[in-house]
Amino acid sequence: QVQLAESGGGLVQAGESLTLSCVLSASTSKITSMGWYRQAPGHQRELVAYMNTGRSTYYADSVKGRFTASRDNDGRSGYLRMDSLKSEDTAVYYCNVHEYAGGIPVSEYWGQGTQVTVSS
């Protein structure tokens, strides 16, 4: 069973940067994708950034040009670099990993979430 451990959240001022980390607790022989979601109070969880199994990335329009997703070569760790943070980026951020077998997602894991608070 893979578990995800997130870290890197905190309180920053608008315009500053943070980098979130997501580490898989165990190696997996399966191909994985990684996504980053966030949920602000009173709002639904939304996809912020996604890196597919081919390492191509997708970003929500609200963060495009400011956030960068990356992963280590072995796929055990992923990162979300967040620059030029705005107050509206305040939310709990979650890491999400899918394992694939034969091109089909077979397992899904979520991190515990990490709070990001941006003061204006």
Side-chain angles (χ1 to χ4, degrees), residues 2-14:
V2 172
Q3 293 183 321
L4 307 181
E6 294 183 56
S7 61
L11 171 63
V12 296
Q13 295 193 338

Side-chain angles (χ1 to χ4, degrees), residues 6-117:
E6 294 183 56
S7 61
L11 171 63
V12 296
Q13 295 193 338
E16 294 184 340
S17 299
L18 276 176
T19 298
L20 306 182
S21 299
C22 177
V23 180
L24 279 67
S25 62
S27 298
T28 173
S29 60
K30 298 181 177 65
I31 296 172
T32 60
S33 63
M34 181 177 286
W36 292 91
Y37 291 74
R38 68 185 180 187
Q39 187 166 19
H43 290 78
Q44 289 188 333
R45 190 172 297 190
E46 62 173 349
L47 178 64
V48 172
Y50 174 76
M51 179 176 281
N52 67 14
T53 57
R55 300 287 176 116
S56 294
T57 52
Y58 157 87
Y59 299 97
D61 287 343
S62 58
V63 307
K64 201 172 293 183
R66 300 188 298 120
F67 288 14
T68 305
S70 62
R71 297 186 72 177
D72 286 350
N73 287 337
D74 63 2
R76 288 282 303 276
S77 299
Y79 308 94
L80 184 66
R81 167 80 179 185
M82 305 183 294
D83 295 317
S84 303
L85 282 162
K86 306 176 181 179
S87 57
E88 50 263 44
D89 295 319
T90 295
V92 178
Y93 284 71
Y94 297 90
C95 172
N96 172 269
V97 167
H98 281 92
E99 289 181 315
Y100 289 78
I104 299 172
V106 294
S107 305
E108 181 181 20
Y109 306 99
W110 286 93
Q112 80 280 8
T114 186
Q115 177 71 45
V116 173
T117 303

